[in-house]
Amino acid sequence: MIILFDLDGTLIDSTPAILESFHTAFQTFDTPIPKDEDIKKLIGLPLDIMFTELGISENKKWDYVDAYKKHYRPISKQKTTLLPFAKEAIIEASKIATLGIVTTKTSKYSKELMEYFGVMEYFQVLIGRDDVENPKPHPEPILKALTKLKYKKHKVYMIGDTCLDSISAKKANVNSIGVLSGYGDKETLTSCSDIIVENALKALDVIK
């Protein structure tokens, strides 16, 4: 069996670091800062898409992304936490399956975060935004993770907190479990996920 996890809203809460970094990026270019709720609705998408959705033009979005990353990197560990029951979920999942992470965060810094929390050792693969041409909801990130894991007709589950995860799973022809621990609401997740549960640990009750 293979279990793939999303990061933000599924295993970690980096909301304070994300919001602060968005604020800094907009302040850097003297642009009005969007409402936090508008930013949070977009979490899970790649940064460049988030900035364009928040009104930044195509020719300026990468400047904002660079400003965001410059601020985010030094504060990410201090302003990110594992979600409740996330570590327990990872440990329990590792007993019954091969584990991977599929995220729209940059892979290098995602690995550093998970190493900081002492859980990277449980994962055999981590696919980040920089590892693919097409991020979630495209199936490429999941398919690339499965290729690296030498997938051979295993049962596969993708656990995530937004429809980006579930749609990606559906397109990759794997099972999707939506968790309510992050940024997706129950009504929205119900429309796109095979199963809805409270958090990643509860997802294992379904899988077992």
Side-chain angles (χ1 to χ4, degrees):
M1 188 189 305
I2 294 173
I3 300 176
L4 303 174
F5 291 91
D6 172 53
L7 277 184
D8 281 308
T10 302
L11 294 179
I12 65 173
D13 180 7
S14 56
T15 305
I18 291 172
L19 292 178
E20 184 177 314
S21 299
F22 266 96
H23 293 179
T24 298
F26 279 90
Q27 288 170 340
T28 298
F29 299 101
D30 198 26
T31 309
I33 299 172
K35 295 178 181 178
D36 285 350
E37 287 305 311
D38 291 335
I39 298 172
K40 287 193 282 188
K41 288 176 184 176
L42 299 171
I43 292 176
L45 290 167
L47 287 172
D48 56 310
I49 295 176
M50 290 181 72
F51 277 112
T52 56
E53 289 290 323
L54 292 168
I56 303 306
S57 63
E58 286 287 330
N59 64 328
K60 292 182 178 180
K61 65 182 181 182
W62 293 111
D63 294 331
Y64 282 75
V65 170
D66 288 343
Y68 173 100
K69 287 183 176 180
K70 185 177 180 181
H71 186 81
Y72 179 84
R73 286 166 183 164
I75 68 166
S76 59
K77 292 174 184 174
Q78 291 73 27
K79 298 202 173 185
T80 299
T81 58
L82 283 174
L83 284 166
F85 309 111
K87 188 168 186 176
E88 293 89 337
I90 293 166
I91 293 171
E92 288 303 309
S94 71
K95 296 175 182 178
I96 61 171
T98 300
L99 307 187
I101 292 171
V102 178
T103 178
T104 50
K105 284 183 175 294
T106 304
S107 58
K108 177 184 176 181
Y109 299 102
S110 296
K111 288 176 183 176
E112 288 182 0
L113 267 179
M114 301 312 276
E115 287 168 355
Y116 175 74
F117 292 125
V119 294
M120 190 62 216
E121 65 186 276
Y122 294 100
F123 297 96
Q124 301 303 309
V125 67
L126 188 155
I127 300 297
R129 174 65 184 95
D130 48 328
D131 296 314
V132 296
E133 290 186 17
N134 305 291
K136 297 179 289 186
H138 196 280
E140 183 185 351
I142 290 177
L143 294 175
K144 187 159 188 177
L146 295 181
T147 297
K148 286 185 174 290
L149 293 173
K150 299 181 180 178
Y151 166 71
K152 292 182 180 178
K153 301 297 182 182
H154 301 89
K155 196 159 192 177
V156 182
Y157 292 89
M158 176 71 212
I159 302 175
D161 68 305
T162 72
C163 281
L164 295 172
D165 304 298
S166 298
I167 294 170
S168 180
K170 187 174 183 177
K171 290 179 178 178
N173 199 31
V174 305
N175 302 289
S176 66
I177 300 180
V179 292
L180 298 172
S181 53
Y183 303 102
D185 59 68
K186 186 173 184 179
E187 182 179 357
T188 303
L189 282 173
T190 299
S191 70
C192 60
S193 305
D194 295 330
I195 299 166
I196 307 295
V197 294
E198 185 178 348
N199 54 49
L201 186 59
K202 292 290 185 181
L204 297 184
D205 293 336
V206 174
I207 293 171
K208 291 177 181 178

